[in-house]
Amino acid sequence: MSDARLISLIVNGETRETMVEPRKLLVDVLREDFGLTGTHVGCEHGVCGACTVLIDDQPARACLTYAVQMEGHEIATIESVGGIGLSPLQEAMHEEHGLQCGFCTPGIIMTFEAFLRDTPDPTEEEVRDVLSGNLCRCTGYQNIVAAVMKAAAVMREVRS
């Protein structure tokens, strides 16, 4: 006997329904049920940050969140960032060589889209502190920090 139930989620501004077991994780629903494969599964323990999405505009680990808990909440994935073209943060990551293999990039982008929205003029120390929640095995982090600082400057200019 299955405990599956129909849930309705708001993902990237669109209401979507799916049948899920109570133990199914949000990251699995996003990837398997909705085909949103930009949210990556890394450590499955909430440590690496690869699965970071925004839940009600706040960064959260989709690998630690049960999908059934998300009814009534808004979820944003990397697929929602930028619209047509790249966001200022995505553009800065490209220009500053802030990515190599790209596996960690969606989680970093989601983390810093929220951070820069709330902290438009961050210090490098603040950026490094926030970045400590995301693991990257390729870049050494310096270029990611440079990209976030550049994106912050561009975003401040656009807001002016």
Side-chain angles (χ1 to χ4, degrees):
M1 184 164 160
S2 174
D3 292 330
R5 66 178 245 203
L6 181 67
I7 62 169
S8 178
L9 303 176
I10 303 167
V11 181
N12 300 334
E14 181 182 324
T15 301
R16 303 179 82 155
E17 293 184 337
T18 189
M19 292 291 291
V20 297
E21 296 287 333
R23 67 184 173 276
K24 191 163 187 177
L25 298 171
L26 178 60
V27 70
D28 296 324
V29 168
L30 294 172
R31 293 179 60 80
E32 297 167 9
D33 298 359
F34 299 153
L36 299 171
T37 57
T39 303
H40 293 161
V41 179
C43 66
E44 298 185 81
H45 296 286
V47 176
C48 74
C51 68
T52 302
V53 297
L54 301 183
I55 298 173
D56 297 333
D57 291 326
Q58 296 302 311
R61 302 295 201 245
C63 76
L64 297 178
T65 306
Y66 291 112
V68 295
Q69 295 174 300
M70 291 298 95
E71 284 197 288
H73 297 277
E74 293 194 24
I75 302 157
T77 69
I78 188 67
E79 287 86 355
S80 71
V81 176
I84 298 173
L86 300 175
S87 75
L89 180 56
Q90 289 171 313
E91 186 69 35
M93 289 286 282
H94 171 74
E95 291 172 358
E96 296 297 319
H97 307 286
L99 60 114
Q100 287 182 19
C101 81
F103 189 83
C104 65
T105 305
I108 290 172
I109 295 289
M110 297 309 290
T111 298
F112 281 101
E113 287 287 340
F115 176 73
L116 292 176
R117 178 195 65 228
D118 298 339
T119 311
D121 194 10
T123 65
E124 186 173 316
E125 183 178 342
E126 290 172 317
V127 170
R128 288 183 180 281
D129 184 54
V130 172
L131 184 57
S132 70
N134 295 82
L135 298 180
C136 175
R137 294 183 175 167
C138 300
T139 66
Y141 300 102
Q142 184 56 40
N143 292 350
I144 297 170
V145 172
V148 172
M149 296 301 288
K150 181 176 188 172
V154 168
M155 293 165 78
R156 281 193 309 275
E157 189 175 299
V158 169
R159 288 180 186 142
S160 303

